[in-house]
C-alpha cells in the first residue's frame, strides 16, 4: 500500500482507562506506519476494535459490532479488521471461528506487534493471532494522544488479587511494574509538550513496584513525579484498600501536585461478602484508612465502587452496605449490579440473586448516595476553584466545562475569554447531584 495516498485508520475503544491508553499506543504505531486517523469508519483502511470483557454484556456488544463490520470487508477486500484488548486475549482464535472476516486478533501483551502483523497481513492475506502472555507487559511505544492537555500514563499492568468476580488477572496477567525511569521519561516529555494533568494507570496502582524488589514503590514514584516542572495535577487509578497504607497517604499529602480526589473501591459493607469476594480487608480496616486520609487531607473528595447482588448477599448484608454509605458519606459512588462472569469463581457460587432484586437494591443504594453527592456539591456553592478547561459540553457549544482538583465537573457559560487547557478560577453558583454550575471569575 502507498501510505502517501491517504491511508486511514479508525479505532473504537470499549472499557476502562487502561484500554484508552492502549488505544493511544495502537494509534501511535499506525501513524508511524503512515496512516491517518479518521472519524468516518467507511473511509478506514484499518479498523481496530479495542475490547473489554469485564462483563459478558460488553462482549455481546463487541460481537455485535464485529458482525456489523462484515459488509465493509465484503466491499473492500484490502480492509484490515483487528480486534485487540481483553476480549481478544480471552477468546483468542475463537474470534476467528465466530467472525471469519477478521484479520488480526491481538491480546493484551502484544500491542507492540501491530505494525509487524499489519505488514504480514498485507503480504499474505492470512489471519494472524498474537496472544502470548509470556512476552513483557511493557514496551516503549509511540502514542497518539486523544486529548491535548490530559494524558494517561500506565505504570503497571496485570493484577494479583484474584477477586472472585473479576476476570482481569486471567486476561491481563500478573502484576508487572513499569520501570521508574521509563515513567519519568514519558512524563517529562509530556510536560515539555504542554500537558498539564496526568493520570497514573494500573489495575492496582498501590502495589506498583512490589515486583521490582528494589525499593521502588508507589510512594517513591509520587515523590519523583512531583519534581517535574510543568505538570499541574497528578491523578491515579485505581487504588486497592488492601495495599493502601498510612505511609502512602502521607506521600500523597506531601505532594504539591497530587489531586485531592481519592478513589478507593470498597465493593461491599459486609465483611462476610468481602471475604467471599477475596478482597483481603475488612470494613473496619477500610474505615481506618478513610479516617486517616480525611484527617490528613481536609478537602478530600472520596469516591468508591460498590457491587449489589453478589451471590449470597442477604438483606442484612445489603443493609450493612447502606449503613456503610451513611457512615462514610462518599462524594460519589459508582454502583454496579453483579453480573456473573464465566471463568470466575463467583459465577459458580450458590445464592445467585434475581435480576429484579438486584435492580431494587441498586436503586435503594443510589437513593442513599445521591443525598450525600448533592449535599457535598451544594456545600461548594459561592466558593472559587481552579479548573483546567476541557472545552465545550457535548450538547451545547455555548457552555464549557472543566474539572476541579477533586474531579468535580464544572460547567459555565463561555464568553470567548478562555481556551482549552487554560487553568481558570470558577465560582460555583449551583451544586447539583452530578455536576456544578458556575461562572468565570475575572
Amino acid at each position: 500500500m502507498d501510505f502517501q495516498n491517504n491511508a486511514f485508520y479508525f479505532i473504537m475503544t470499549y472499557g476502562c482507562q487502561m484500554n484508552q491508553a492502549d488505544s493511544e499506543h495502537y494509534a501511535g504505531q499506525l501513524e508511524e506506519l503512515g496512516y491517518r486517523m479518521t472519524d468516518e469508519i467507511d473511509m478506514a483502511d484499518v479498523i481496530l476494535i479495542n475490547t473489554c470483557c469485564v462483563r459478558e454484556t460488553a462482549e455481546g456488544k463487541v460481537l455485535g459490532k464485529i458482525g456489523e463490520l462484515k459488509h465493509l470487508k465484503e466491499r473492500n477486500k484490502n480492509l484490515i479488521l483487528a480486534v485487540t484488548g481483553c476480549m481478544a486475549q480471552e477468546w483468542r482464535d475463537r474470534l476467528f471461528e465466530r467472525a471469519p472476516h477478521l484479520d488480526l486478533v491481538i491480546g493484551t501483551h502484544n500491542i507492540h506487534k501491530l505494525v509487524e502483523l499489519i505488514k504480514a497481513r498485507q503480504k499474505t492475506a492470512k489471519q494472524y493471532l498474537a496472544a502470548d502472555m509470556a512476552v513483557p507487559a511493557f514496551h516503549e511505544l509511540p502514542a497518539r494522544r486523544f486529548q491535548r492537555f490530559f494524558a494517561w500514563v500506565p505504570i503497571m499492568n496485570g493484577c494479583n488479587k484474584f477477586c472472585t468476580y473479576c476476570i482481569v488477572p486471567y486476561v491481563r496477567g500478573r502484576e508487572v511494574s513499569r520501570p521508574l525511569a521509563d515513567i519519568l521519561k514519558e512524563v517529562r516529555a509530556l510536560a515539555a509538550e504542554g500537558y498539564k494533568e496526568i493520570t497514573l494507570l494500573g489495575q492496582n496502582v498501590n502495589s506498583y513496584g512490589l515486583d521490582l524488589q528494589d525499593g521502588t514503590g508507589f510512594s517513591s514514584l509520587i515523590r519523583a513525579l512531583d519534581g517535574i516542572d510543568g505538570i499541574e495535577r497528578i491523578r491515579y487509578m485505581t487504588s486497592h484498600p488492601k495495599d493502601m497504607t498510612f505511609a502512602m497517604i502521607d506521600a500523597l499529602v506531601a505532594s504539591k501536585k497530587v489531586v485531592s480526589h481519592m478513589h478507593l473501591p470498597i465493593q461491599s459493607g459486609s465483611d462476610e461478602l468481602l471475604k467471599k469476594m477475596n478482597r483481603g480487608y475488612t470494613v473496619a480496616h477500610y474505615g481506618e484508612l478513610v479516617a486517616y486520609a480525611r484527617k490528613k487531607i481536609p478537602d478530600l473528595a472520596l469516591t468508591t465502587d460498590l457491587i449489589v447482588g453478589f451471590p449470597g448477599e442477604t438483606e442484612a448484608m445489603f443493609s450493612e452496605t447502606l449503613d456503610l454509605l451513611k457512615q462514610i458519606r462518599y462524594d460519589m459512588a459508582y454502583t454496579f449490579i453483579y453480573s456473573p462472569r464465566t471463568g470466575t469463581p463467583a459465577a459458580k457460587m450458590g445464592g445467585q440473586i434475581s435480576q429484579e432484586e438486584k435492580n431494587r437494591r441498586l436503586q435503594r443504594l443510589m437513593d442513599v448516595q445521591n443525598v450525600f453527592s448533592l449535599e457535598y456539591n451544594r456545600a461548594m456553592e459561592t466558593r472559587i476553584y481552579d479548573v483546567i478547561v476541557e472545552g465545550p459540553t457535548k450538547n451545547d457549544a455555548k457552555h464549557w466545562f472543566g474539572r476541579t482538583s477533586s474531579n468535580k465537573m464544572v460547567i459555565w457559560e463561555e464568553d470567548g475569554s478562555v481556551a482549552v487547557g487554560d487553568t481558570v478560577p470558577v465560582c460555583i453558583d449551583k451544586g447539583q447531584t452530578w455536576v456544578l454550575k458556575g461562572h468565570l471569575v475575572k
Side-chain angles (χ1 to χ4, degrees):
M1 177 180 290
D2 179 8
F3 291 116
Q4 301 301 316
N5 188 24
N6 295 327
F8 295 98
Y9 70 91
F10 182 96
I11 296 179
M12 59 186 76
T13 306
Y14 295 83
C16 66
Q17 292 83 358
M18 185 68 79
N19 276 15
Q20 293 285 345
D22 289 347
S23 288
E24 291 183 341
H25 287 106
Y26 280 122
Q29 292 177 84
L30 286 166
E31 297 205 352
E32 283 207 341
L33 196 55
Y35 290 91
R36 292 188 295 156
M37 180 181 284
T38 178
D39 292 328
E40 302 293 332
I41 195 169
D42 291 354
M43 290 181 57
D45 301 282
V46 173
I47 298 174
L48 190 149
I49 307 175
N50 196 9
T51 63
C52 171
C53 65
V54 170
R55 293 175 182 80
E56 291 185 1
T57 52
E59 287 188 350
K61 291 180 181 178
V62 170
L63 290 171
K65 179 57 68 174
I66 292 172
E68 292 174 14
L69 298 178
K70 185 177 181 180
H71 75 283
L72 294 179
K73 186 70 174 179
E74 292 171 345
R75 195 173 70 191
N76 177 8
K77 299 299 182 182
N78 293 322
L79 172 65
I80 296 176
L81 296 180
V83 176
T84 66
C86 295
M87 185 176 170
Q89 188 66 51
E90 182 194 15
W91 281 60
R92 300 170 67 89
D93 51 5
R94 286 191 294 136
L95 275 173
F96 291 132
E97 298 172 9
R98 180 68 179 260
H101 56 288
L102 289 177
D103 299 292
L104 309 177
V105 173
I106 305 174
T108 55
H109 283 56
N110 292 268
I111 298 174
H112 61 295
K113 292 186 178 179
L114 178 63
V115 170
E116 168 192 335
L117 294 174
I118 286 179
K119 290 180 177 179
R121 172 65 182 80
Q122 289 169 340
K123 289 179 180 179
T124 65
K126 294 181 180 179
Q127 293 174 319
Y128 290 91
L129 168 68
D132 181 6
M133 295 183 73
V135 298
F138 281 106
H139 305 270
E140 295 309 302
L141 298 171
R144 198 277 198 186
R145 306 285 177 179
F146 297 154
Q147 299 184 77
R148 179 61 189 89
F149 297 96
F150 309 88
W152 309 115
V153 180
I155 64 170
M156 62 183 304
N157 188 64
C159 184
N160 293 348
K161 294 297 180 284
F162 286 92
C163 299
T164 56
Y165 53 82
C166 185
I167 194 103
V168 168
Y170 305 97
V171 294
R172 285 276 181 181
R174 303 299 181 270
E175 291 176 352
V176 178
S177 298
R178 187 178 175 195
L180 178 63
D182 292 346
I183 299 172
L184 297 179
K185 179 181 177 182
E186 178 177 359
V187 175
R188 289 190 187 103
L190 289 168
E193 293 170 20
Y195 284 84
K196 287 189 168 186
E197 179 177 304
I198 60 170
T199 301
L200 308 178
L201 294 179
Q203 272 72 35
N204 174 19
V205 294
N206 308 107
S207 61
Y208 170 78
L210 295 181
D211 58 308
L212 299 177
Q213 298 184 341
D214 62 358
T216 301
F218 188 61
S219 297
S220 57
L221 170 62
I222 291 295
R223 286 191 290 268
L225 290 172
D226 208 47
I228 297 178
D229 292 335
I231 300 299
E232 292 184 10
R233 292 179 182 172
I234 299 173
R235 299 190 186 277
Y236 54 96
M237 62 173 34
T238 294
S239 299
H240 195 295
K242 183 178 180 180
D243 292 322
M244 180 65 81
T245 65
F246 290 173
M248 202 171 287
I249 293 171
D250 288 339
L252 298 174
V253 172
S255 169
K256 299 177 182 177
K257 299 179 180 180
V258 169
V259 297
S260 58
H261 170 227
M262 178 184 293
H263 186 68
L264 196 62
I266 189 166
Q267 307 300 1
S268 173
S270 163
D271 281 338
E272 185 174 345
L273 276 192
L274 290 176
K275 186 175 182 179
K276 288 185 69 175
M277 292 177 176
N278 193 36
R279 290 293 288 172
Y281 54 84
T282 64
V283 172
H285 175 65
Y286 182 94
E288 290 171 357
L289 290 171
V290 169
Y292 189 81
R294 283 183 163 155
K295 176 182 177 182
K296 292 288 185 174
I297 313 171
D299 60 344
L300 178 70
L302 184 67
T303 59
T304 197
D305 292 342
L306 289 163
I307 297 173
V308 300
F310 189 80
E313 182 185 59
T314 64
E315 177 62 28
M317 293 174 184
F318 176 69
S319 294
E320 288 183 287
T321 298
L322 293 181
D323 290 341
L324 173 86
L325 278 183
K326 296 170 185 176
Q327 174 191 343
I328 300 291
R329 300 171 65 92
Y330 295 99
D331 284 70
M332 184 180 292
Y334 298 89
T335 53
F336 304 92
I337 289 177
Y338 169 74
S339 175
R341 188 65 189 83
T342 302
T344 62
K348 301 177 183 178
M349 290 180 180
Q352 299 287 334
I353 311 298
S354 71
Q355 190 62 41
E356 293 75 16
E357 181 58 28
K358 287 190 284 190
N359 289 339
R360 282 193 291 269
R361 290 180 183 178
L362 178 67
Q363 187 59 56
R364 291 167 63 192
L365 198 71
M366 293 171 60
D367 287 344
V368 172
Q369 176 54 46
N370 288 347
V371 171
F372 301 129
S373 295
L374 180 59
E375 182 179 308
Y376 277 118
N377 287 352
R378 282 181 172 169
M380 297 173 71
E381 292 175 357
T382 73
R383 297 178 63 183
I384 297 173
Y385 296 88
D386 284 337
V387 171
I388 299 180
V389 180
E390 297 189 36
T393 60
K394 185 176 181 180
N395 299 318
D396 184 358
K398 293 182 179 180
H399 287 85
W400 283 33
F401 76 101
R403 296 179 189 276
T404 65
S405 172
S406 59
N407 206 35
K408 301 289 183 75
M409 180 185 289
V410 185
I411 298 173
W412 66 90
E413 188 171 347
E414 175 51 23
D415 60 5
S417 63
V418 302
V420 174
D422 286 350
T423 302
V424 298
V426 179
C427 181
I428 308 303
D429 299 320
K430 184 176 182 180
Q432 299 179 342
T433 304
W434 305 111
V435 299
L436 303 164
K437 300 291 183 67
H439 65 272
L440 294 172
V441 178
K442 301 297 184 178

